[in-house]
Amino acid sequence: MSMVESTNAVTIDTPPTGFGAWLRSLFSRLFGGTPAGPSAHANSATPAHDMSDDEAVASGAFVLADGGYRIRVPHPSDVGHSVGDLLPSVREGLNLLPPLPTVVIELLREIQDSKSTAASVAEVASSDPSLAASLLRTANGAAMGLSRTITSVSEAVSYLGFGTVKAMVIRLRLDEVLACKDEQAARDADDLWAHSLAVSYAAEYLAKKLGGVDPGFVSTLGLLHDVGKLAILAHLPNAAAKLRAESSDGNVSRLAMEAKVLGIDHAGLGANLSAKWKLPADLVQAIRSHHTPSSAFHATDPLPLRKAVHIVQIANQLAKYCYSHADQMDIDAVPDEVFALLGMEPSLPKLLSGGVRDAIGKAIIFATTNSRRAASAPRRFMRPLAKDAAAALLATPASGEARVVVDEELVASAFSAESREVRIQGDSGPKLAGVAHARFVTPANPASIEKCITAVLSHQEELGMPLDARSAASLTIRSLLPNLLALNSKEESIELSQKFEGGRLTLALRTPGLSIERRLGAAAASDAARRVAELDMANLLNLGWFQKIAINKDGSAIVFVRS
């Protein structure tokens, strides 16, 4: 599908075979099957593949891909709104926003310069004492795994890399300009930061691999593509609350909801804000069109610019695959011609391999490690599905090979009697020096869970695990353990087993709240337990942090193995 926007009208060229046929063809090529129907969250009972062409175009159809991912099919209403469509209150809000700090503009300009060096970037960063201190603190943080201390800003820039420095600068200073006063909005902003960083890292990797595109421009666009959403959270709290409340309507896209509430979507709002901040015109145009670049650019536009925006368009979707339960983040189907322009195979899941996974994984770990809400931010990464959500998604046909297996023997060995048992109680910390296999037992209450997480992370340090394995295990524990509270009563316990021997990490969780009987009822079969586990662990499966994920028959225990 292509759209050409003129000053006075929008012309839509629909596929000659009709929208329904195009949808079936698109889904087949992108996801290796046929549409499973609309999302389980949708109110419509009409499967996408049974819709007429007019019905599909009118509805902005969703299809459900393996793993519970909502795929949103492009829709004519996605065309961005111009500044003339802004509601008066939104326009007034934009006018009240302060300018972008000078250090951000200067650093962006310096980093984009092909002649820039760590020393020249450090010189600009050093003009802002709090920024310089943040760079040094991050470079010397535990997440970086350094065995020595970095004392100069120049060395910190060199070690962290231009991309990370740019991300830190933009995050730190946007937190000042677009500060969220509401706690819910602040948590959403943390999600948005993790997502934007993942898009930036993935896009930069793809740009370097493909060539013919400026990786610096691509990474900057990845960081700023959703700045309009951040502005909504920070300065339009009533609109943000209304959008959050209406997000349960699975038949309406986020873009359409924004246009209804604000008179403009977040892409258009971000472009207006970027123009106000006097960012480069190409960047403003790219932010405006990051959801619909095919309709915003023409063959006469510079090829590197068109490729750059399409790379970010693809990276945006790939990041969502690895942060699947982030709120209000439907995956946009990408037309075949975009992949053809970039010389890529038309399959988003197949792009999730090797370097792309590593880039997104590093971004997620970096974002959660450096979050100002360290206790709550990781919880958004992996949230087990509640009863109704699990049942609804299981109503759709299964497709693809099983990625979570049933392995009773592996579960039994993970919780063997040979492990050192540690009961979380009181204030005394367990002594685990030299203990290769520890089993932690904690009551299902918030205070005990926090103590358990601290003890488990301390055990990881004792085990001498490599940094990448420790990072994966740490985020898995910090996100999953607190979220088990919603599935358990206060009288129940949660067990966590951790073993590292011969370079092999085995991490396991067991609790009644995970059982398939508890979540779906006594009649649920073990295959349903496996499928629910696949939905719960979709992020970890797509990131490839663990080579094997297994459960027991009733689903109450799950084991992660990394070699």
Side-chain angles (χ1 to χ4, degrees):
M1 176 182 290
S2 63
M3 300 181 193
V4 182
E5 185 178 13
S6 65
T7 304
N8 299 315
V10 176
T11 302
I12 303 172
D13 298 324
T14 54
T17 54
F19 189 87
W22 174 81
L23 169 58
R24 289 192 295 275
S25 173
L26 174 69
F27 193 93
S28 177
R29 286 192 290 273
L30 295 187
F31 308 105
T34 55
S39 163
H41 302 89
N43 296 319
S44 171
T46 306
H49 55 281
D50 290 337
M51 291 182 182
S52 69
D53 295 355
D54 290 341
E55 287 174 331
V57 170
S59 70
F62 288 91
V63 293
L64 193 68
D66 198 30
Y69 294 102
R70 282 163 43 105
I71 313 297
R72 189 178 64 84
V73 178
H75 185 270
S77 67
D78 291 346
V79 176
H81 294 74
S82 70
V83 68
D85 293 324
L86 279 166
L87 295 180
S89 59
V90 178
R91 189 180 295 109
E92 290 170 10
L94 273 181
N95 290 336
L96 292 174
L97 284 174
L100 199 63
T102 303
V103 68
V104 176
I105 298 172
E106 290 180 351
L107 262 174
L108 286 178
R109 185 184 302 118
E110 182 62 35
I111 290 173
Q112 299 296 118
D113 189 340
S114 60
K115 297 178 183 178
S116 65
T117 64
S120 65
V121 171
E123 183 178 355
V124 178
S126 296
S127 67
D128 185 326
S130 65
L131 173 58
S134 294
L135 291 173
L136 287 170
R137 185 167 57 251
T138 299
N140 289 302
M144 294 298 155
L146 274 177
S147 58
R148 60 183 179 82
T149 301
I150 288 178
T151 56
S152 72
V153 177
S154 178
E155 192 178 5
V157 171
S158 181
Y159 180 69
L160 293 171
F162 286 0
T164 299
V165 170
K166 176 168 54 181
M168 286 185 62
V169 172
I170 289 176
R171 173 68 191 275
L172 286 169
R173 293 302 167 249
L174 283 186
D175 269 356
E176 297 171 0
V177 177
L178 300 173
C180 296
K181 300 178 179 64
D182 175 72
E183 183 60 30
Q184 177 65 55
R187 288 197 296 268
D188 289 345
D190 267 348
D191 263 357
L192 196 58
W193 161 241
H195 169 72
S196 297
L197 194 65
V199 173
S200 177
Y201 279 27
E204 184 174 13
Y205 171 83
L206 290 173
K208 289 178 178 178
K209 185 177 180 180
L210 293 171
V213 180
D214 178 7
F217 177 85
V218 164
S219 69
T220 303
L221 175 57
L223 286 170
L224 292 173
H225 74 285
D226 274 343
V227 69
K229 284 185 179 179
L230 193 57
I232 294 170
L233 290 171
H235 286 275
L236 300 168
N238 292 337
K242 190 169 184 180
L243 288 168
R244 199 178 296 118
E246 294 188 6
S247 65
S248 59
D249 186 352
N251 286 323
V252 181
S253 74
R254 165 81 187 204
L255 296 174
M257 282 191 289
E258 289 169 347
K260 176 184 175 183
V261 172
L262 302 169
I264 193 170
D265 60 38
H266 71 267
L269 183 63
N272 279 278
L273 183 54
S274 303
K276 171 183 169 64
W277 285 339
K278 296 181 170 54
L279 294 180
D282 282 352
L283 188 57
V284 174
Q285 184 184 13
I287 290 171
R288 182 186 297 278
S289 61
H290 73 268
H291 276 288
T292 56
S294 294
S295 64
F297 293 96
H298 303 277
T300 54
D301 288 319
L303 183 59
L305 176 60
R306 286 190 287 141
K307 283 188 173 182
V309 185
H310 282 307
I311 287 173
V312 172
Q313 178 189 19
I314 289 173
N316 192 10
Q317 314 321 314
L318 296 176
K320 295 171 190 176
Y321 267 96
C322 297
Y323 204 38
S324 64
H325 299 315
D327 295 338
Q328 301 180 6
M329 285 195 179
D330 299 312
I331 298 170
D332 295 334
V334 180
D336 286 358
E337 59 264 25
V338 172
F339 293 101
L341 178 70
L342 297 173
M344 291 178 168
E345 184 179 357
S347 171
L348 289 172
K350 288 182 180 178
L351 287 175
L352 271 177
S353 60
V356 172
R357 274 200 183 107
D358 289 344
I360 294 174
K362 287 176 182 176
I364 291 172
I365 289 171
F366 183 78
T368 53
T369 301
N370 289 278
S371 169
R372 294 184 179 181
R373 295 163 188 82
S376 61
R379 293 185 61 179
R380 316 273 283 185
F381 177 66
M382 196 161 50
R383 290 173 282 184
L385 292 168
K387 181 176 179 179
D388 291 343
L393 286 175
L394 283 175
T396 64
S399 62
E401 296 181 359
R403 298 196 292 171
V404 170
V405 299
V406 176
D407 192 331
E408 294 279 1
E409 186 177 342
L410 179 61
V411 171
S413 66
F415 293 99
S416 70
E418 298 175 0
S419 59
R420 165 80 176 275
E421 182 176 295
V422 177
R423 290 199 168 268
I424 305 299
Q425 54 190 358
D427 296 321
S428 59
K431 307 298 182 183
L432 293 171
V435 177
H437 188 184
R439 181 164 49 89
F440 303 83
V441 183
T442 178
N445 65 68
S448 297
I449 288 292
E450 288 302 317
K451 290 178 184 176
C452 184
I453 291 174
T454 300
V456 172
L457 298 185
S458 176
H459 183 228
Q460 288 179 3
E461 293 182 12
E462 294 286 351
L463 291 172
M465 294 163 55
L467 182 61
D468 56 350
R470 199 169 84 191
S471 296
S474 170
L475 184 54
T476 300
I477 291 163
R478 291 189 298 127
S479 60
L480 188 51
L481 262 183
N483 287 327
L484 294 177
L485 291 172
L487 302 178
N488 286 80
S489 68
K490 294 180 180 179
E491 293 74 29
E492 292 174 322
S493 294
I494 299 171
E495 289 182 86
L496 187 146
S497 168
Q498 185 167 248
K499 181 179 181 180
F500 184 69
E501 283 185 329
R504 177 184 168 99
L505 167 67
T506 304
L507 187 67
L509 282 160
R510 181 166 62 187
T511 189
L514 283 175
S515 71
I516 196 65
E517 180 177 350
R518 178 78 64 85
R519 292 210 256 178
L520 292 179
S526 59
D527 183 62
R530 179 188 61 75
R531 288 197 63 204
V532 169
E534 288 183 342
L535 298 172
D536 288 344
M537 306 301 151
N539 296 329
L540 291 180
L541 290 165
N542 283 331
L543 284 168
W545 283 353
F546 298 94
Q547 278 73 50
K548 184 175 183 178
I549 298 181
I551 61 170
N552 57 356
K553 289 180 181 179
D554 70 2
S556 62
I558 186 162
V559 182
F560 310 92
V561 178
R562 181 186 176 102
S563 301

